[in-house]
């Protein structure tokens, strides 16, 4: 490849900028694959116009049935290909750049899709908290878009998604309980640093992205992340440290 | 190896005899691995005495905290090893018989554990129906044991677990909806016959066992199985046919 891939990601007010779990999956995939890329930051209200301009496909449908355009999107000037959706981006990278690190060892795509469902299911109870926390770190135009769409989906104000108190505490406790299973799955990897052992794969893009979302939106020094990172023998905190070489924001 | 592995399985009144999803996982593992084995059939009330006699470890705890012994168990006369639990049996087979078909391609154990959670979660709504259906095909001593333990767990008679009617219909509809995700995961395997593509692995022991349980306890010609087999473009019926070479009961 001669030119860096253009990676469209969602910005924030954080020093790190990157925060979205869905775009983090693609960013981890790019970093693990080891291809050259550069980030272009796109606020929520500007995604649709960008997607239409560069020919990115819709990834879903809005409530009214019209096409929904989402990040991550990559635009590869070396091939002219534009790809949306993190899983499809990872597949594209393996197909197009086979000499880089393999994201999907043979036959593992169905299993990694199962892993993602398992991981998101295990922490689903803290999604209301996470959505609120995410809203608070967005720039004004994205914050407005995010607030309107999420408040419509949940039927209440962002501030009411997960107010401090017994319900929020119960939600975190439920995530801790849900992650017991994920901890058990990872314990079968022979003690390696990554999901599949000592070989980094797209499975780490998946798990890494969801954990990174929790870490960066709450803040690395927050009580919430420090507590989370300590669960299950410190597995999650240690895991994110091990994955740090692939967490570069270029 | 010189002597067949002894595989302890739960019998039934079915012509096929084998029915339990947990022992089917180990049976598929033995068949896929391609090692010689013979089955010894053990009724539920006789498992504990057998396990203690041959030195099989407990796999859990009863409600009163005392050790719980379960099938599958294998006893390998070639090594003197006795192993309980289907996942541990599959791991043992890969370690001990590396020249046979690989059950776990490198690094896939955590992913297969995630797959199992995903599969069982997707069909969890029909477990009450399946437990009742299983009870009805057991021999008298196992039937009595199964009925007492399951009725205690659910707080009602087996006949009340899933009586024909709106709730049972809703339970099956929910399983069909749950399997949409599993169908999507499998669609990422490049169109192969097995979970990981055209290579059979322990992932097929997992998915195959749960589907086989539904097929054999309801009956291959039952309306319930015929309907189930037709879901999602006939994926489940076709899958079980593809897996038939590994479903031998020896």
């Amino acid at each position: 490849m001669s030119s860096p891939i253009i990676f469209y990601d969602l910005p924030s007010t954080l020093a790190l900028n990157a925060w979205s779990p869905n775009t983090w999956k693609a960013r981890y995939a790019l970093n693990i694959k080891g291809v050259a890329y550069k980030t272009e930051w796109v606020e929520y209200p500007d995604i649709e116009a960008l997607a239409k301009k560069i020919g990115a496909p819709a990834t879903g449908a809005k409530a009214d049935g019209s096409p929904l355009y989402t990040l991550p999107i990559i635009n590869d000037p070396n091939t002219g290909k534009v790809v949306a959706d993190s899983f499809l981006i990872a597949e594209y990278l393996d197909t197009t750049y086979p000499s880089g690190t393999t994201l999907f060892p043979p036959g593992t795509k169905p299993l990694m899709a199962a892993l993602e469902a398992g991981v998101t299911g295990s922490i689903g109870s803290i999604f209301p908290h996470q959505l609120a926390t995410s809203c608070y770190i967005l720039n004004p135009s994205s914050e407005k878009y995010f607030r309107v769409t999420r408040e419509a989906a949940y039927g209440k104000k962002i501030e009411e998604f997960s107010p401090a108190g017994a319900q929020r505490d119960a939600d975190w406790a439920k995530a801790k309980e849900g992650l017991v299973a994920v901890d058990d799955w990872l314990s079968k990897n022979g003690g390696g640093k990554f999901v599949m052992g000592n070989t980094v794969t797209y499975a780490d893009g998946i798990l890494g992205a969801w954990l990174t979302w929790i870490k960066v939106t709450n803040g690395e020094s927050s009580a919430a992340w420090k507590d989370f990172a300590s669960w299950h023998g410190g597995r999650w905190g240690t895991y994110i440290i091990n994955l740090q070489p692939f967490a570069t924001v270029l």
Side-chain angles (χ1 to χ4, degrees), chain A:
Chain A
M1 64 190 296
S2 49
S3 306
I5 291 169
I6 301 165
F7 169 50
Y8 297 96
D9 197 356
L10 290 154
S12 72
T13 60
L14 299 173
L16 189 65
N17 223 349
W19 65 275
S20 155
N22 288 312
T23 62
W24 261 108
K25 281 180 270 177
R27 182 178 295 282
Y28 276 119
L30 289 159
N31 286 333
I32 292 167
K33 174 57 73 177
V35 290
Y37 73 94
K38 61 179 179 184
T39 308
E40 292 200 5
W41 302 97
V42 185
E43 301 287 352
Y44 273 108
D46 306 323
I47 295 173
E48 183 165 332
L50 166 76
K52 288 178 173 171
K53 188 179 94 177
I54 64 175
T59 55
K62 297 180 193 171
D64 66 4
S66 63
L68 175 69
Y69 298 89
T70 59
L71 298 188
I73 292 171
I74 64 165
N75 185 350
D76 187 349
N78 304 289
T79 61
K81 287 279 174 63
V82 175
V83 185
D85 179 272
S86 56
F87 205 98
L88 295 179
I89 288 170
E91 287 186 317
Y92 168 82
L93 293 174
D94 259 5
T95 302
T96 312
Y97 301 104
S99 64
T101 299
T102 299
L103 295 166
F104 298 105
T108 59
K109 287 176 191 174
L111 302 179
M112 290 197 198
L115 175 76
E116 170 133 37
V119 169
T120 55
S122 73
I123 57 172
S125 61
I126 60 167
F127 277 24
H129 170 82
Q130 282 298 119
L131 290 173
T133 307
S134 299
C135 187
Y136 303 147
I137 53 94
L138 296 176
N139 294 313
S141 69
S142 279
E143 192 272 348
K144 185 178 173 189
Y145 177 95
F146 193 90
R147 177 178 286 275
V148 168
T149 52
R150 273 57 176 179
E151 289 185 347
Y154 279 70
K156 52 186 168 184
K157 299 286 288 177
I158 285 278
E159 287 72 14
E160 301 302 317
F161 276 25
S162 180
Q167 182 60 54
R168 185 197 287 182
D169 294 346
D171 289 344
W172 283 89
K174 191 173 178 187
K176 185 175 183 177
E177 180 60 28
L179 283 167
V180 168
V182 183
D183 177 54
D184 178 61
W185 306 340
L186 295 183
S187 73
K188 300 180 190 299
N189 78 349
K193 293 193 290 184
F194 305 116
V195 174
M196 293 187 71
N198 280 319
T199 302
V200 66
T201 68
Y202 185 62
D204 300 297
I206 294 168
L207 179 59
W210 292 102
L211 299 184
T212 300
W213 181 40
I214 297 168
K215 175 182 151 184
V216 304
T217 60
N218 289 283
E220 188 169 2
S221 56
S222 65
W225 172 252
K226 283 185 178 171
D227 184 39
F228 188 101
S230 76
W231 295 348
H232 311 112
R235 181 184 288 284
W236 318 110
T238 302
Y239 176 81
I240 281 296
I241 290 168
N242 289 336
L243 203 59
Q244 200 58 36
F246 305 99
T248 312
V249 177
L250 295 176

